[in-house]
Amino acid sequence: MKKKIFLIFPPHLTDQPITYTLIKKYDLKTNILRASINYNTQGNLLLELEGTKENISSGIRYLENIGVKVDFIHTEIKWDEKACIHCGACTAVCPSDALKLDSNSWLLSFNAEECLGCKLCIKACPLKIITNGL
Amino acid sequence: MSIKKTYEEINEKIKNGCAVVVSAEEVIDIVKEKGIKDAAKYVDVVTTATFGPMCSTGAFLNFGHSDPPIRMTKVTLNDVAAYSGLAAVDAYIGATEISESKGIEYGGAHVICDLIDGKKIRLKATSPGTDCYPRLEIDTYITKDSINEAYLFNPRNAYQNYSAAINTSDKALYTYMGILQPNMGNINYCTSGQLSPLFNDPLYRTIGIGTRIFLAGTTGYISWQGTQFFSDRERDENGIPLSPAATLAVVGDLKKMSTEYIKPAVFEKYGISMFVGIGIPIPILDEEMMKFVSIEDKDLYTSIVDYSVPSRNKPTLGRVNYAQLRSGSINLNGKSIKTAPITSLYKSRKIAEELKKLIMEGNFYLQQPIEAFPLNNRLNTLEIIDAEEE
């Protein structure tokens, strides 16, 4: 299974090789979707984990035990497809192309799997039909 | 022999149900297949359309007289101010006006759409009172059916070309062109390209004062040249302007419009605007008109303008065509930059199709302009001078 998690870790943990531990010790495939880590300041990391259910749970327990705050990314945004005019303004700010215009029909589509939860599209939508999904 | 068709001949064909009507996208392949001359013989009308945010939009309303009557001097509609420095019960509600209580969340554009949707709107007005209009204030509700005239009158719509926007600074910019991410994170553009009305009649041979158009779901007319009309722009060998040029002032009956084709737009940290759906039929009078309508995105150019420079003349980072903009990314100085539209091509196509249907069913006839737009119009700027200067 796959799970997206958002990690916030305090300054004293920024020197810990946490992704290495997740891979090596818990046999998880990790995919770093977004990272903002500076040595000795608070860091955050958007991570996709792939592995068995047990290993994902153990890996998350390990992170929490060393003092990392773990947030789960659920449905990040809600897109009101019926009210959409398919202008494309949201695609300008979407970092992962989760919101995408089809190059033939020019209809917008939303792929929740790809969404990083950055919420920039909520601000960018001129019709205000993209809202917080949580 | 060259092809010549008159408006009368084309309208006669529409009446008889035998006019050949295609969209400005469909015509491209027809010309590729048949060539200009045969295509000009075959096609009678080409439909063009756009559905983008157009701030210079608003509506004239006449509320009717109350008893005792009032000469309204300050008017709000759902808490949004309407200009009433006109006769007693006339007002103009501008799309970008913001609510006095809700800010940019609700504004003139929303009032216009609520009216179109038949919703009740709260009308409040005050007056100093006069002998002929004694009432001092009024607080009531109106709908589009309870008032007299309600017509959209937009001073500037349907720009002929528009610059694409980029941001070279290290901070995000919130603009009427959408969000521009720092460090050239994206390029936003705002025309329907090969489907856009004025790209298909670049020298205004058929689009002029009096032209009948599709406006927000009903019939409308071009009433004048739009404001900031700048026809004396640099043009390419096809006569297409390379930067924002002509604009249209349009008018139409708000009561017959549909919010399917007109929508309020709220741009974060900028304000309110309005998506306006406009469709314009282009009669194929001769081979020159056919050549104009067959020009495709790859041959339509605009400039990329840096919005991070807060002055009238913003620097240009390069020239790009609409096929490149449509592709989703372009290469600028070795960097691949994401491109995104602000104009809905999906809706633009829908309007072009709707207009096509109206014409083919004999419900929409072409109107020859009463007067042509000037080709040599330039823009003035506003300078800050004192009383003695000229």
Side-chain angles (χ1 to χ4, degrees):
Chain A
M1 67 178 286
K2 278 186 183 178
K3 200 166 202 125
K4 254 183 258 175
I5 54 173
F6 186 71
L7 309 178
I8 301 167
F9 35 102
H12 71 274
L13 287 177
T14 52
D15 62 348
Q16 297 271 325
I18 60 158
T19 44
Y20 175 81
T21 312
L22 289 172
I23 298 163
K24 196 87 180 160
K25 204 166 163 196
Y26 299 98
D27 192 26
L28 294 171
K29 258 194 215 165
T30 63
N31 185 13
I32 297 172
L33 301 173
R34 196 174 43 171
S36 163
I37 304 155
N38 291 308
Y39 183 65
N40 261 347
T41 59
Q42 181 177 289
N44 62 62
L45 195 64
L46 184 65
L47 208 57
E48 188 179 68
L49 301 177
E50 193 180 341
T52 64
K53 204 177 166 187
E54 293 72 36
N55 283 349
I56 288 176
S57 302
S58 313
I60 289 169
R61 220 173 303 124
Y62 146 74
L63 291 169
E64 285 171 338
N65 283 340
I66 61 167
V68 178
K69 189 176 177 300
V70 182
D71 271 345
F72 298 96
I73 311 286
H74 306 284
T75 321
E76 290 78 8
I77 57 152
K78 223 173 96 204
W79 167 53
D80 185 352
E81 186 173 357
K82 272 205 177 125
C84 184
I85 58 162
H86 309 272
C87 65
C90 58
T91 65
V93 297
C94 182
S96 62
D97 289 337
L99 286 157
K100 210 173 166 181
L101 283 172
D102 183 272
S103 58
N104 286 315
S105 68
W106 293 95
L107 284 166
L108 187 76
S109 63
F110 172 61
N111 182 350
E113 289 280 300
E114 302 284 324
C115 178
L116 305 185
C118 71
K119 316 259 165 86
L120 278 172
C121 54
I122 294 176
K123 289 182 175 179
C125 174
L127 269 81
K128 299 293 160 209
I129 54 149
I130 302 176
T131 48
N132 212 320
L134 292 175
Chain B
M1 227 186 76
S2 62
I3 315 290
K4 292 265 179 255
K5 286 183 221 174
T6 65
Y7 279 82
E8 291 73 23
E9 283 163 4
I10 293 171
N11 280 335
E12 191 59 30
K13 281 190 176 178
I14 294 172
K15 195 176 150 193
N16 297 332
C18 61
V20 176
V21 189
V22 298
S23 79
E25 286 187 317
E26 291 164 335
V27 80
I28 291 165
D29 285 338
I30 295 174
V31 170
K32 275 182 189 155
E33 192 197 311
K34 293 180 184 280
I36 296 270
K37 195 175 174 180
D38 282 349
K41 212 186 287 176
Y42 172 63
V43 176
D44 300 304
V45 183
V46 168
T47 59
T48 66
T50 187
F51 190 82
M54 308 183 193
C55 290
S56 214
T57 290
F60 280 105
L61 309 171
N62 178 285
F63 302 119
H65 288 285
S66 58
D67 192 21
I70 179 171
R71 197 199 72 161
M72 301 176 180
T73 51
K74 188 175 180 287
V75 169
T76 61
L77 294 162
N78 283 354
D79 239 6
V80 180
Y83 180 73
S84 53
L86 301 158
V89 292
D90 283 331
Y92 184 79
I93 177 93
T96 68
E97 188 73 42
I98 65 170
S99 157
E100 288 173 4
S101 52
K102 291 181 182 160
I104 68 165
E105 197 184 299
Y106 188 92
H110 300 83
V111 172
I112 290 168
C113 280
D114 282 348
L115 271 170
I116 294 171
D117 283 337
K119 290 184 188 162
K120 266 170 103 174
I121 308 281
R122 188 171 188 180
L123 162 68
K124 291 209 274 185
T126 55
S127 166
T130 70
D131 289 347
C132 44
Y133 295 106
R135 187 188 282 274
L136 301 180
E137 56 182 20
I138 193 165
D139 185 351
T140 183
Y141 286 87
I142 58 157
T143 66
K144 68 176 174 185
D145 297 321
S146 77
I147 61 175
N148 296 313
E149 291 73 18
Y151 49 90
L152 220 63
F153 193 107
N154 303 347
R156 182 168 74 254
N157 280 179
Y159 245 113
Q160 183 180 29
N161 210 348
Y162 211 80
S163 303
I166 197 168
N167 170 18
T168 62
S169 80
D170 56 7
K171 278 194 199 100
L173 293 176
Y174 294 84
T175 76
Y176 62 84
M177 291 291 286
I179 299 176
L180 302 174
Q181 304 227 70
N183 309 312
M184 308 201 294
N186 58 300
I187 292 171
N188 289 359
Y189 62 98
C190 201
T191 93
S192 54
Q194 62 197 16
L195 200 53
S196 181
L198 286 164
F199 266 145
N200 285 286
D201 184 9
L203 302 176
Y204 330 123
R205 284 189 56 204
T206 70
I207 298 178
I209 297 173
T211 301
R212 186 178 292 122
I213 63 170
F214 174 100
L215 178 61
T218 186
T219 300
Y221 293 88
I222 295 172
S223 50
W224 207 252
Q225 67 184 46
T227 54
Q228 286 173 211
F229 189 95
F230 192 174
S231 50
D232 193 16
R233 281 285 204 189
E234 188 193 340
R235 290 170 188 262
D236 68 9
E237 67 280 6
N238 293 318
I240 310 277
L242 300 165
S243 44
T247 63
L248 304 176
V250 300
V251 61
D253 190 354
L254 179 147
K255 295 187 183 187
K256 294 185 184 141
M257 289 177 181
S258 155
T259 50
E260 177 75 22
Y261 299 110
I262 184 164
K263 291 264 185 217
V266 177
F267 287 101
E268 183 89 3
K269 296 187 195 172
Y270 170 79
I272 298 168
S273 185
M274 194 154 206
F275 282 93
V276 181
I278 291 180
I280 304 186
I282 312 256
I284 304 304
L285 302 172
D286 51 32
E287 287 160 57
E288 188 192 44
M289 284 317 296
M290 181 44 88
K291 184 166 180 278
F292 286 145
V293 297
S294 68
I295 297 168
E296 22 181 339
D297 279 342
K298 70 176 174 60
D299 296 314
L300 297 167
Y301 281 82
T302 192
S303 298
I304 302 166
V305 167
D306 184 1
Y307 272 57
S308 70
V309 178
S311 62
R312 187 167 61 208
N313 294 317
K314 299 186 191 312
T316 293
L317 270 63
R319 201 161 267 180
V320 65
N321 68 51
Y322 280 91
Q324 290 171 291
L325 288 168
R326 282 262 169 237
S327 76
S329 71
I330 65 159
N331 204 295
L332 193 66
N333 307 326
K335 191 186 171 193
S336 172
I337 303 172
K338 188 174 194 171
T339 58
I342 302 294
T343 298
S344 170
L345 187 60
Y346 166 75
K347 281 274 188 184
S348 304
R349 274 184 184 161
K350 205 171 160 181
I351 292 164
E353 285 304 310
E354 182 67 29
L355 180 56
K356 207 166 97 179
K357 207 171 128 230
L358 285 168
I359 297 169
M360 291 199 297
E361 288 170 354
N363 292 316
F364 192 108
Y365 289 88
L366 304 198
Q367 174 61 52
Q368 183 169 7
I370 298 157
E371 205 163 307
F373 291 139
L375 279 162
N376 59 353
N377 221 67
R378 298 189 67 83
L379 283 191
N380 289 327
T381 53
L382 178 63
E383 303 308 326
I384 295 147
I385 61 170
D386 59 38
E388 282 73 40
E389 278 178 86
E390 296 215 347

